[in-house]
Each structure stands twice: as structure tokens, then as C-alpha cells.
Amino acid sequence: MLAFEEIHEIERLKVLADLRILHTPCSPAFDAIVQAAAAIFGCPIGLISLVAEDNQWFKSKCGIELEGTDRAVAFCDHTIRSRTELIVEDARRDSRFAANPFVVGEPFIRFYAGIPLSIDGIYYVGSLCVIGTEPKTPTSSELEQLRRLARAVEGLLLAHRAAILSSIALEEARIQRQKAERRERLLGHVERIAAIGAWRVDLKSRTVDWSDQVRMIHEIETDEPITLDFGFNFYAPHDRDMVRAAVESAVAGCSAFRFDADFITATGRMRRVRVAGDVERIDGVPAFLNGIFQDITDSYHAEQHLWQSANIDALCGIPNRNWFQRTLSEKLAASEAVPDRLTLMLLDLDGFKEINDTLGHLAGDCVLQAVARRLRSVASGQADVARLGGDEFTLLIDRLLPGDDVQRLADDVLAELRKPVLFDKQSIYFSASMGVAHYPADAATSDDLMRCADMALYKVKRAGRGSVGHFSPEIATIFDTRRLAIEKVRRAGAEGRITPFYQPKLRLADRSVYGFEALARIRNADGTVSGPADFWLAFADATSARLISERIMAGITEDIARWLDRGLDPGVVSFNACEFCFQTADFATQLIKRLDQNHIPHSMIEIEVTETVFWGEDAKLVGKILEQLHNEGIRISLDDFGTGYASLTHLKDFPIDCIKIDQSFIAGLGAKSQHTTIVNAIVDLGHNLGMDVVAEGIETEPQLSFLRSVGCNGGQGFLFSKAVPADEAVPMFGPADIARRA
């Protein structure tokens, strides 16, 4: 008993045989459809394939000499068996076709798109397909047009079958006329659907025969004869020479041609057209040009829109990160073949977040757009400009420029960006920082070049911003050291080896201990202890700095809770909160919650902040956090006082309880008169503002004597004690006050 598929195949072959179309002569209607399909996809090969029992035969073809192939190697056999459209984007990567002789050999098929053909909706006799020699992902528009053309082929097959079925001469003549009319209508439908027309040029007279659709695209209503030279005039001036050269070259070489060009209709409308043609020879001499003419304006604009979306920054109108990364890689690849120098400038706006926070995102957008315009203006003809995202931009110079010219361009860019931007009748001032790296001197790959420029930019921003930094091997060394420091901190954090050590703080009048400062230490696997000097670069990394602060806060609360349970009173314990802690809005809330869970009085904790905390773009948030801590009874101390650029402003604007004099001033007492004067002034300033004053880094008795003489309240330093583990700090505690635990 035959299986269903075997019965279905027998019936399918019967339908094909009844068509009586195999090995019939070429048909212009079928040929026009094949050429239209190939043109739509930009593929060299188009076929109408009819699949017989052992082979496939091409009713119509373009771009290939074969009349047919064995069925075993036919892509179209897969199409009719699947009974739906078959898309093969890359045959070499498709296990069904990778070893196919037409994939590994001529014509080297890579792309295939086929639509099965049926005249009754049940049995598929063949397919309309296009074949390319490069991988391709077809668009939905291309596939829809291929489906429509396939329906037109089915109409022609139906017309052919109708003619075969007629047996009476008069009826045969009538049907033949109907068939011709139907074919003309179908071809007209095909032309209108695909906006495609056919043309023919007599090379001897240079006259042109256009189909109705070609005249429609040209928007010419008359039937007057057209000459080839007259036709050239419809192309836009910037494409006209290219079009003329393509046609003349095809005639001279008896070759096919294809091009896309801008086109102006008789009514003055700008369109985009695709033209493809081939030379027809008579007695070996070029006699005619035959081809197709298609209006591709809509698909062209759609492709342009997609390209714009993928490569142009929507806000600033300049190339985006995607375009930049591709362009940089391409230019580096070109430089490998022809060694040359590329210069990458990575630019970042200073204080941009504050503009958004204080003036709103519309003001920020206005600034970004102004930056893009200015970069294009200053760098015009010298560099490609792109926006990577946020407030980060790049300039890429792909030619050899002397170092002085690079520096001059960088200085010109930064100078231009310092000019205010007018927004809503308000002048917005800002600056930018820039990192510069060169290929091949600094890096050999695009990723490494970006990394080098980023390192140079980072160094500039840490040093004060608003200037240009050039990559050097020394910077890379710093970053390697920083990377090792970060790894050390993160590994220690994961293994629970970050712990607080405690340095006592004394009342200088009687040397009595009133509290401690908790300092970060790492207990190493070999039993040694690392101080900040071994990992200070990690404090510039947000994740590492927050990790250290979190481990120190956890260690402090555990130690204080344990001491209070034993009836011991360490006094006020302070620790330095990193600047990144103040970028988290709930920092104060979480600290207070931790203290309350461990029943630790808020007054036992003092937060030390350095002035770098106030330099960021979240100064308002910092102020709110400090105010919340202060209102909860937690003391606030300004650390390293005198080394910042706006100390007096900070004393006025933030709830500061204590000033800590930086140890650099203490070390200079007695050696530099300026230091003595500064320390005296700081003590007077603090007392006049009602603040305590604590000196850091006291190491000698003369330093202590001077600080006592000027009324400095407290101090710490090696003269009294280094920082020690929690258990070693206990003997230095003052009298216990158990009531503080209540």
C-alpha cells in the first residue's frame, strides 16, 4: 500500500504533466518576472523552476546558462516539499546545503529565496526563486514582492494550461487571445506592483522603447519617441556622468550593468531608481540594450532611515557609538595595509549631571547639541566626530598630524566648549576634559586604543578636570597598580579580611583618650596586615570604596556592640565615609538602622568626610545626607581641612561639628613659619565657629606643646599610638558608662 507522500507525489507529477509546459520555448512574460525578481533582491540569478520526477527544468532564467539540474541537488525541491517559502540566508552555514555542488562550486550559491508555485493550491509544481553569491537577510518588502510575483507566475501557468486544454480551433484562437491579454494584464500588474518597467535601446539609432510603467515613472504622458541622450537628462546632475559611463562601458564590453541613481521626473519630483540591463548582439555586434527600470524610492528611504537610526545619534545629529566603533575598526584595518597614524580624542563634559539636576534635562539636551555643533565646527576637515552616549564624545583623526597640531586642535576644542550655552535666556557654563591616544604608538587594536584614551581621560579628571591628557606608559603602570589594588580589596572583601583598626584620639590638655578613629586594614593570607598605602588606589573605584566602607561600618558596629555588652566604653568612634557612599540616597538611613539594630547610641558615632565629597555632581544630595545624620545625633567631622579649594564654603553650608587639621600642616610645625600660622588660624577659626579642632599626625612632643598652646582640643598620631586591632584598643578605654547602652 502506497504511503500518503508517495500518492501525493504521483498526483503532483500528473498536474505538472497536464500543464504540458516542460521544455516549451522561452516566454517574455515569464522572463520579465524573473528579471524583476532578481532586480528586487539585487541578486545575479533568477529562476522559474519546474520540478519533474528526476530533475528540475528552468522555464525562465537570468544570470545562469544551465537549462536545469538533477532534482537531488535542487534547492527548489526543498521548497516544493516544504510547501511554503524557503529562505536560506547563508547556504554554507546550512547543513542541508553546505556540501551541495552548486554551493561549493559554480555558481557558488550563498543566498536563496524561493516561493512554491501551485495552480490548484494543493500540488506544487515548481518555484519562483532568486539566488545570490553573497549571504543576505531579505527585507519584508522584498519577500512580499517575491510572493506577488509568484502569484503572477501562477496566473501565467493557469493561462498556459487553459490554452492546452482547448481542442477546437476557433476556441483555441479565442483562448490564445485571452491568454495574451491576460499575460499583458498580469505583466502590467507585475510592473505596477513592483514599480518596474522594461526598456529597449536601438544602439544604431539610439532610440529608446519604454513600457508604460517606465513612462509612468518618468511621469511622461506622451508616446513620442525618446532618445538615449534625452533619457540621460532625467538623472540628477551628480549621478549623470556615472549613469552614462555605466551604459557606455556595458556596450563597449558587451556586458551587463546595474546601478542605483537619483532621478528627477518630468514634473520635478526627486526619486531613486534602479536600472539593470544587458547587451543583445546580432552577428556578434552589439545591436540593442534590454533591461528593466524600477522606482525604489520608498525602499531606499526606508533603508536610509534604518541606517540613520543605527548610525546617527538622534539628539545631536552626529555619528553614534555604533558608527564610531565600526569606523575605528575599519580605519585600523586599513592602516595595517598602509601604515599610518590615527589619533583618538576621548572627551567628557565636566559637571554635566549637575546641569541636568539643577536646570533640567531640556537644558542638558541643549548643551549636548551645542557641544556636537561646536565639535563639528572646530574639527571640520581634521577629525571625525561622534557621540558615544551620555556626555561622552570622540574625535578621530585618521591622518598624520604633528604633535603640536594635535595639541592645538585639542586646546581649540576645549576653549570652544568653555564658552557658555544660552538656554531659556540663561547662560550655562561648563568645561570638558580630554584623553588622547595614538595608533600605533600607544595601542595596536581598537579596544586598546579606546582603553588608552580612557586612561588618559581618567587621569585628567582625577587631577582637576578641564584639560588635555595624553596617554603614556606611566599611566598604564598606574592603572595596573590600581587594578591590583582593586583585586586585592575585592578578594579580601569576599574572604572577610577587611577589618577596622583603631587609633586613639586624645584630649591634648591631659592626654586622656576620648575616642578612636577606625582605619581600614586588610589581614593578608600570610598573617601580615596591609594598610591603605597598599591599596589606596582602590578608593577611586566606586565598588571597591563602597565595599571597604561597608566592611568597616559592619566591623565597627560589631566591635562597639561587643564592648558595650562587656561594660566597656570606647567613647566616640569615627570613620571616614568614602565619597561614593554619599551617592547613595539611603546611606544615612541604612547606617542609622544598623546602629539601632545593635542598640548603639548615635552619639557614639562620628562620620569623617573629606572635601572631595563636595566636589562631585551630587552636592545637594551630600548636604541632605549630612543633615539627616546630624539631626540623628551623629557627629560630622571635616577631615584633611586646609587641603581643599573651598573649605570655608563647606563650613558655612554643611553641618560640621569638628575640624581635623591635615597632618601635612602638623609635620611642618617649627620647620615652616607658614604652617605654624595656618594651624593657629585654623584653631581660632574652628573655635569661633563653635567647632572642635583635632590635629592629625602628631609625632613629636614639640608639636604637642604648640598645639596645646594654641588651644587645639584633640589629636592623634604615632606620638600616642598607631592604629591597633580591636582587642588591643580596649586597655586605652576611658571609664565605662553603661547607661549609654540603654
Side-chain angles (χ1 to χ4, degrees):
M1 188 172 183
L2 295 177
F4 171 81
E5 287 296 330
E6 292 175 311
I7 295 173
H8 186 279
E9 176 64 5
I10 291 171
E11 292 298 321
R12 188 192 72 81
L13 292 172
K14 184 176 182 300
V15 171
L16 177 61
D18 289 343
L19 280 173
R20 299 183 184 180
I21 197 171
L22 294 177
H23 306 293
T24 56
C26 295
S27 169
F30 285 99
D31 292 347
I33 290 175
V34 165
Q35 291 179 2
I40 288 168
F41 280 76
C43 288
I45 299 173
L47 300 170
I48 295 175
S49 169
L50 299 174
V51 182
E53 183 176 6
D54 299 314
N55 67 296
Q56 65 171 340
W57 175 76
F58 303 144
K59 170 59 182 172
S60 183
K61 61 183 180 176
C62 69
I64 191 170
E65 295 297 326
L66 295 174
E67 298 296 328
T69 73
D70 288 341
R71 184 174 177 178
V73 295
F75 280 56
C76 294
D77 183 49
H78 291 265
T79 304
I80 66 168
R81 289 182 185 277
S82 67
R83 302 187 181 96
T84 186
E85 59 194 43
L86 175 64
I87 310 299
V88 180
E89 295 185 354
D90 191 346
R92 291 185 186 173
R93 297 180 179 273
D94 193 313
S95 59
R96 296 172 296 177
F97 307 108
N100 189 293
F102 295 112
V103 173
V104 299
E106 291 286 343
F108 298 103
I109 297 174
R110 294 294 294 278
F111 167 73
Y112 171 94
I115 306 295
L117 302 172
S118 173
I119 59 174
D120 57 8
I122 300 174
Y123 301 104
Y124 293 94
V125 296
S127 70
L128 169 65
C129 67
V130 291
I131 293 172
T133 56
E134 295 293 335
K136 176 179 175 62
T137 300
T139 67
S140 58
S141 173
E142 291 170 337
L143 291 175
E144 181 58 29
Q145 292 188 71
L146 189 63
R147 296 184 194 108
R148 292 180 181 179
L149 293 175
R151 303 295 79 80
V153 174
E154 290 173 344
L156 294 177
L157 292 173
L158 283 169
H160 179 84
R161 185 182 69 170
I164 295 299
L165 294 177
S166 296
S167 58
I168 301 174
L170 291 177
E171 185 66 11
E172 174 70 18
R174 186 181 67 81
I175 292 176
Q176 289 295 334
R177 287 195 301 272
Q178 288 181 341
K179 181 178 70 171
E181 292 171 358
R182 186 178 294 117
R183 275 189 285 193
E184 290 298 323
R185 288 198 301 272
L186 287 170
L187 190 54
H189 288 317
V190 170
E191 287 189 344
R192 286 190 292 276
I193 290 170
I196 290 178
W199 53 266
R200 180 178 175 86
V201 177
D202 185 325
L203 293 176
K204 183 176 181 180
S205 65
R206 295 183 71 84
T207 57
V208 181
D209 184 18
W210 284 344
S211 71
D212 291 342
Q213 187 64 26
V214 173
R215 289 183 179 273
M216 189 179 299
I217 295 172
H218 281 72
E219 297 185 338
I220 293 178
E221 297 181 358
T222 68
D223 293 331
E224 296 179 5
I226 302 297
T227 66
L228 182 60
D229 293 322
F230 178 76
F232 286 144
N233 292 330
F234 285 89
Y235 293 95
H238 56 267
D239 280 340
R240 198 169 296 157
D241 290 342
M242 177 274 293
V243 172
R244 190 185 300 273
V247 173
E248 292 176 352
S249 175
V251 173
C254 290
S255 59
F257 66 90
R258 177 178 179 271
F259 59 79
D260 296 350
D262 287 335
F263 181 85
I264 303 172
T265 70
T267 63
R269 290 199 308 154
M270 177 68 76
R271 310 298 289 168
R272 186 76 174 175
V273 297
R274 176 168 293 159
V275 182
D278 204 347
V279 178
E280 178 183 340
R281 289 178 288 186
I282 297 178
D283 296 331
V285 178
F288 297 95
L289 282 175
N290 301 304
I292 61 169
F293 186 90
Q294 182 182 18
D295 184 339
I296 61 168
T297 304
D298 292 342
S299 61
Y300 175 73
H301 287 165
E303 291 171 3
Q304 289 296 301
H305 176 72
L306 290 174
W307 188 92
Q308 287 277 124
S309 300
N311 294 279
I312 302 299
D313 182 79
L315 176 65
C316 297
I318 61 176
N320 60 16
R321 177 183 289 273
N322 179 62
W323 177 93
F324 167 76
Q325 290 178 330
R326 185 179 65 254
T327 300
L328 177 59
S329 297
E330 289 173 353
K331 290 188 174 182
L332 286 180
S335 294
E336 289 178 2
V338 182
D340 203 351
R341 169 170 164 165
L342 279 82
T343 298
L344 173 62
M345 297 177 171
L346 186 61
L347 184 143
D348 185 85
L349 302 186
D350 302 324
F352 179 71
K353 187 175 186 300
E354 186 174 353
I355 294 174
N356 275 334
D357 292 344
T358 58
L359 300 177
H361 288 281
L362 288 179
D365 290 348
C366 179
V367 167
L368 293 175
Q369 291 167 342
V371 168
R373 288 194 301 272
R374 294 177 184 183
L375 290 178
R376 281 187 296 188
S377 175
V378 176
S380 177
Q382 301 180 76
D384 294 321
V385 176
R387 180 188 178 205
L388 299 187
D391 61 340
E392 194 172 38
F393 296 81
T394 63
L395 293 91
L396 181 61
I397 305 169
D398 63 352
R399 56 196 179 90
L400 185 62
L401 283 181
D404 291 345
D405 288 350
V406 171
Q407 184 64 43
R408 188 178 302 110
L409 175 59
D411 291 340
D412 289 346
V413 166
L414 297 190
E416 185 67 21
L417 296 184
R418 292 189 192 100
K419 297 177 182 178
V421 172
L422 187 64
F423 174 77
D424 196 20
K425 299 181 181 180
Q426 181 177 357
S427 294
I428 303 175
Y429 290 86
F430 61 95
S431 63
S433 300
M434 180 184 290
V436 180
H438 304 284
Y439 167 90
D442 299 329
T445 68
S446 58
D447 288 344
D448 287 345
L449 190 63
M450 276 292 293
R451 192 175 297 111
C452 290
D454 193 45
M455 284 191 279
L457 175 61
Y458 177 85
K459 186 172 185 295
V460 167
K461 293 184 78 71
R462 296 298 296 180
R465 307 179 179 183
S467 60
V468 181
H470 294 264
F471 177 79
S472 66
E474 292 75 17
I475 294 178
T477 300
I478 292 173
F479 269 77
D480 286 341
T481 305
R482 177 173 178 265
R483 177 180 55 80
L484 293 174
I486 291 172
E487 290 177 358
K488 181 182 182 73
V489 167
R490 293 186 180 180
R491 189 179 302 112
E495 297 172 359
R497 294 187 284 103
I498 300 177
T499 186
F501 273 38
Y502 297 90
Q503 186 175 43
K505 293 193 287 189
L506 291 81
R507 300 180 184 88
L508 298 188
D510 59 5
R511 290 198 179 194
S512 61
V513 175
Y514 69 88
F516 294 84
E517 179 180 2
L519 301 169
R521 297 291 187 268
I522 291 178
R523 295 187 182 276
N524 299 313
D526 61 2
T528 60
V529 175
S530 292
D534 292 338
F535 55 87
W536 69 273
L537 284 172
F539 284 97
D541 173 66
T543 301
S544 300
R546 289 194 182 100
L547 175 62
I548 294 171
S549 294
E550 167 63 27
R551 294 295 186 267
I552 296 305
M553 282 190 287
I556 291 171
T557 50
E558 291 173 5
D559 289 339
I560 294 177
R562 186 174 68 255
W563 289 331
L564 292 176
D565 285 341
R566 294 169 56 192
L568 301 173
D569 184 2
V572 177
V573 178
S574 67
F575 70 94
N576 197 308
C578 73
E579 59 186 281
F580 300 107
C581 291
F582 290 92
Q583 295 174 4
T584 306
D586 65 346
F587 168 67
T589 302
Q590 293 300 318
L591 174 59
I592 293 166
K593 180 180 178 181
R594 188 192 297 270
L595 296 177
D596 292 343
Q597 287 175 339
N598 287 277
H599 307 291
I600 298 173
H602 299 176
S603 58
M604 294 187 71
I605 299 297
E606 181 175 272
I607 301 295
E608 297 188 11
V609 295
T610 61
E611 289 175 325
T612 57
V613 168
F614 307 114
W615 294 356
E617 299 172 354
D618 295 313
K620 288 186 177 180
L621 177 60
V622 172
K624 289 175 63 176
I625 293 174
L626 291 179
E627 196 70 40
Q628 183 181 358
L629 293 169
H630 182 76
N631 292 339
E632 288 288 339
I634 295 174
R635 288 171 55 84
I636 309 298
S637 177
L638 185 58
D639 197 13
D640 298 338
F641 185 81
T643 60
Y645 73 92
S647 300
L648 296 181
T649 300
H650 300 155
L651 294 178
K652 174 178 68 70
D653 293 340
F654 299 99
I656 306 299
D657 298 297
C658 176
I659 296 173
K660 296 191 75 173
I661 306 174
D662 185 69
Q663 60 184 346
S664 62
F665 296 113
I666 305 304
L669 290 176
K672 296 182 179 180
S673 60
Q674 301 96 323
H675 286 198
T676 302
T677 302
I678 290 172
V679 170
N680 200 355
I682 292 174
V683 173
D684 287 342
L685 174 64
H687 289 167
N688 288 333
L689 293 174
M691 301 175 183
D692 292 331
V693 180
V694 175
E696 296 181 296
I698 304 174
E699 297 184 356
T700 67
E701 288 292 343
Q703 291 171 353
L704 173 61
S705 297
F706 175 80
L707 291 167
R708 279 176 171 171
S709 70
V710 297
C712 184
N713 304 93
Q716 61 190 94
F718 288 168
L719 178 63
F720 311 116
S721 173
K722 64 179 182 179
V724 297
D727 291 343
E728 294 182 28
V730 171
M732 292 182 269
F733 288 3
D737 181 4
I738 304 303
R740 300 178 65 161
R741 178 82 164 165

